[in-house]
Amino acid sequence: MAVKEGRIVALGEDLSELVSPTTKLHDLNGRCIMPGMIDTHTHGLWGACRDKFEVYVGYTATLDNLVTAVGVRAQQLEAGSWITGGPWRLDMRNGMGPTPRDLLDKVAPNHPVALKDTTQHSLWLNSKALQLAGIDASTADVDGGVIERHPQTGEPNGVLAENASALVLPFLTFNEDQLKEGLDYMIHYFHSLGITGFKEPMAYEHDLKTYFAFDQADKLNLHLGVHLSRFSPMEIGRTPFETLELWRETYRSTNIHTDFAKLFLDGVAPSFTASFLDPYLESSGYDVANHVPEATLLLQADDLANEVTELDRRGFVVKMHAVGDRAVRAGLDAIEAARKANGMNNLRHEIAHSPFVTDYDLPRYKELNAVAEVSPKLWYPNPVTAAQHAVLGVERTDKCHPIRSLLEAGSEVIYGSDWPAAAPDANPWPGLAGMTTRSNPMGEFEGTVGADQAITLEQALPLFTINAARSIGLENETGSLEVSKFADFIVLDQPLYEMTPEQIGSMEVKETWFKGKQVY
């Protein structure tokens, strides 16, 4: 392979005629190269700042581990400083007692504390955090959110879910120096994993400013697509369309692509906020008799159709968070409405996660030129699986992420880690290996999830390369090793097809190259 000025200029058995006295020659000595990996759903800055600045005990830690870590951090910080981090799992909930805030008050009475659960859709707060956020017995319930309360007094017990989290999240921000330090860490981390491009699925202006500054200084060295946040449970109200367009123009850069937007359609299953056609298990405490699928949709049908149609008209590719099968259908219905209003175009809107898809909706992705994004936190056994079993049952959980069925229906499918939301790291290799076995490639959890949905390595690789590049609009620039494309590639010890799934899952990338420059 010959590379000049960042692009591949020739491929072949013998390229000796291109060698000049100034040519640098790289002999791989038996190693191989492949295109760089592209993650289409990773909260880069958020994950990096978690690793750098928050209490983080991992996804298999005990409740005692987490509470102890909060106490240690309280001893290190000046009184009044916020302590953030996590994660806590659904199985820890009983151990928190009837008033979870009390447990945190004991170890950090002089610090406001906010801990996120594994899904990042719920918060566990202490009394000082509730007080600073102005949340008390008189605080009205938040539409689309949950404020857990004492049944007699109505006092908040310290647990918030979905839209109610927006009351606290403005306090949980990182300053400019932290964002810069976090991004510097993230870039090296991504390169060490063989990642040469990604999509930021929920960007706000402080994220955009940080990414833009690094790209202007020629320090980003990643292809980046940013979905500008129009609506999420983490903010009150909606970002005006005019503001999205201003951000799009202001922060577009050499490696930053800004023609993308983000909407949330539902929550997550463990908190009963994902929108399903069928009810959750009655044994999980769910009120089966009063199940209304639309009640958990964050945007109702007409509203959602108008949102997607308008964003489509303005030229934004929309990524919609959808977990339950009712939410997935709502997203596809909205894309259909946009197609009818604006005509079929090249804007390939995405259903983020797409974990539960009915047989009726499987072919609609292809029909509507929509994209199914899938996330490995659910397609093989992991710390979230037990919570899925508890509220959905084993049989329904086993239908999670029908990747094989989506491919057989002609759907375009892409990969997203969703780091750090329910994903301990941004490592794409366990996700790739798990697609081929539907088992945990690291051996951390036994069993499988939807074993009949396993796909081959040849079927899986495009989700991480050319399909992902196409989702950023860069299929003619990267995602495969072809003449005229950017020289974005990674060096491995041996070809993937010679490796076992376990070896792929524990991959160590030897080199990463971006636009012909070695960055790792």
Side-chain angles (χ1 to χ4, degrees):
M1 182 171 74
V3 176
K4 184 177 182 180
E5 296 178 353
R7 292 187 181 269
I8 299 170
V9 294
L11 292 159
E13 291 296 320
D14 183 7
L15 303 179
S16 57
E17 64 183 28
L18 297 178
V19 177
S20 74
T22 59
T23 301
K24 295 181 180 179
L25 300 177
H26 299 266
D27 187 340
L28 296 181
N29 295 309
R31 289 176 170 173
C32 74
I33 64 172
M34 64 170 279
M37 303 288 264
I38 301 174
D39 187 335
T40 68
H41 190 133
T42 183
H43 305 267
L45 272 173
W46 176 10
C49 289
R50 181 204 71 178
D51 286 0
K52 295 288 291 183
F53 308 117
E54 294 191 331
V55 171
Y56 176 63
V57 295
Y59 281 61
T60 58
T62 65
L63 178 61
D64 185 60
N65 294 151
L66 178 56
V67 173
T68 299
V70 170
V72 171
R73 183 62 60 90
Q75 295 173 8
Q76 299 169 341
L77 294 179
E78 181 180 351
S81 301
W82 278 84
I83 298 174
T84 61
W88 52 275
R89 301 183 307 274
L90 181 66
D91 60 88
M92 296 179 179
R93 186 63 181 80
N94 290 336
M96 297 178 189
T99 312
R101 69 170 190 264
D102 293 344
L103 188 56
L104 295 178
D105 289 346
K106 291 178 182 178
V107 295
N110 301 314
H111 298 77
V113 181
L115 303 178
K116 301 166 187 173
D117 77 326
T118 54
T119 70
Q120 309 286 307
H121 283 248
S122 296
L123 290 176
W124 174 21
L125 312 172
N126 69 348
S127 296
K128 187 165 284 292
L130 289 167
Q131 179 184 4
L132 288 175
I135 304 172
D136 55 28
S138 65
T139 302
D141 290 333
V142 178
D143 187 34
V146 177
I147 301 174
E148 288 193 14
R149 302 176 186 271
H150 189 282
Q152 278 78 47
T153 66
E155 287 286 338
N157 68 14
V159 175
L160 309 180
E162 300 302 340
N163 289 11
S165 300
L167 300 174
V168 180
L169 289 173
F171 296 91
L172 313 184
T173 58
F174 299 101
N175 61 42
E176 183 177 341
D177 289 339
Q178 288 175 316
L179 290 171
K180 289 179 179 178
E181 184 178 345
L183 183 51
D184 190 62
Y185 162 86
M186 184 214 80
I187 292 168
H188 180 78
Y189 175 49
F190 280 10
H191 288 157
S192 75
L193 298 172
I195 295 173
T196 55
F198 76 106
K199 294 181 86 176
E200 173 65 62
M202 188 176 64
Y204 298 95
E205 189 164 29
H206 57 270
D207 306 309
L208 296 166
K209 286 181 177 178
T210 308
Y211 286 130
F212 184 79
F214 269 60
D215 199 35
Q216 293 298 102
D218 198 27
K219 296 194 300 180
L220 186 60
N221 293 322
L222 290 159
H223 299 292
L224 168 59
V226 286
H227 284 269
L228 312 177
S229 182
R230 164 68 175 163
F231 166 74
S232 88
M234 301 173 188
E235 57 187 323
I236 297 174
R238 305 180 193 185
T239 306
F241 291 117
E242 293 74 21
T243 300
L244 297 182
E245 291 187 325
L246 177 63
W247 290 352
R248 174 167 61 182
E249 298 305 318
T250 302
Y251 299 107
R252 180 183 283 126
S253 185
T254 303
N255 296 312
I256 302 175
H257 308 273
T258 53
D259 293 319
F260 308 93
K262 177 68 178 290
L263 297 171
F264 271 76
L265 307 191
D266 67 346
V268 292
S271 60
F272 303 130
T273 55
S275 185
F276 284 95
L277 293 165
D278 296 323
Y280 294 90
L281 292 182
E282 190 169 15
S283 60
S284 65
Y286 186 73
D287 184 4
V288 173
N290 293 308
H291 174 67
V292 179
E294 283 67 29
T296 43
L297 286 177
L298 298 177
L299 296 172
Q300 294 303 304
D302 290 346
D303 188 12
L304 176 58
N306 290 336
E307 284 285 335
V308 176
T309 298
E310 182 61 17
L311 288 166
D312 179 270
R313 188 185 69 79
R314 292 172 182 257
F316 287 100
V317 171
V318 186
K319 185 188 286 287
M320 290 172 270
H321 167 106
V323 171
D325 51 17
R326 178 65 188 94
V328 169
R329 180 169 296 176
L332 293 170
D333 288 346
I335 295 173
E336 183 174 0
R339 300 303 189 213
K340 289 178 179 177
N342 301 331
M344 188 67 74
N345 54 36
N346 61 355
L347 299 178
R348 301 166 63 253
H349 304 300
E350 302 170 11
I351 306 296
H353 313 309
S354 294
F356 297 95
V357 185
T358 66
D359 290 343
Y360 169 80
D361 289 313
L362 281 171
R364 299 181 70 204
Y365 286 88
K366 180 180 180 181
E367 293 166 1
L368 296 169
N369 195 26
V371 178
E373 176 214 295
V374 294
S375 311
K377 64 185 181 183
L378 298 176
W379 71 58
Y380 60 72
N382 64 79
V384 181
T385 307
Q388 296 283 328
H389 286 166
V391 299
L392 298 174
V394 175
E395 183 178 353
R396 188 159 22 156
T397 300
D398 232 30
K399 296 179 180 178
C400 186
H401 279 306
I403 302 174
R404 180 178 176 182
S405 294
L406 283 163
L407 291 175
E408 289 176 347
S411 307
E412 178 101 348
V413 185
I414 56 177
Y415 157 85
S417 67
D418 201 13
W419 180 65
D425 54 56
N427 190 349
W429 300 102
L432 173 61
M435 275 189 192
T436 67
T437 64
R438 305 289 290 214
S439 61
N440 189 297
M442 314 310 294
E444 299 166 319
F445 297 86
E446 296 181 353
T448 60
V449 173
D452 64 320
Q453 291 295 320
I455 60 176
T456 66
L457 181 62
E458 289 76 15
Q459 289 175 307
L461 275 172
L463 279 64
F464 297 75
T465 53
I466 190 63
N467 290 10
R470 189 156 39 244
S471 78
I472 312 178
L474 297 177
E475 66 271 26
N476 295 321
E477 302 283 359
T478 188
S480 60
L481 302 181
E482 299 180 64
V483 172
S484 81
K485 287 191 173 185
F486 287 123
D488 302 329
F489 62 91
I490 56 180
V491 179
L492 310 177
D493 268 337
Q494 62 188 112
L496 292 178
Y497 58 79
E498 294 179 0
M499 298 183 184
T500 66
E502 291 74 23
Q503 288 174 319
I504 293 174
S506 57
M507 177 70 70
E508 290 186 10
V509 174
K510 301 305 177 183
E511 299 176 20
T512 300
W513 293 68
F514 177 77
K515 292 187 176 181
K517 178 172 64 175
Q518 187 173 358
V519 291
Y520 175 77

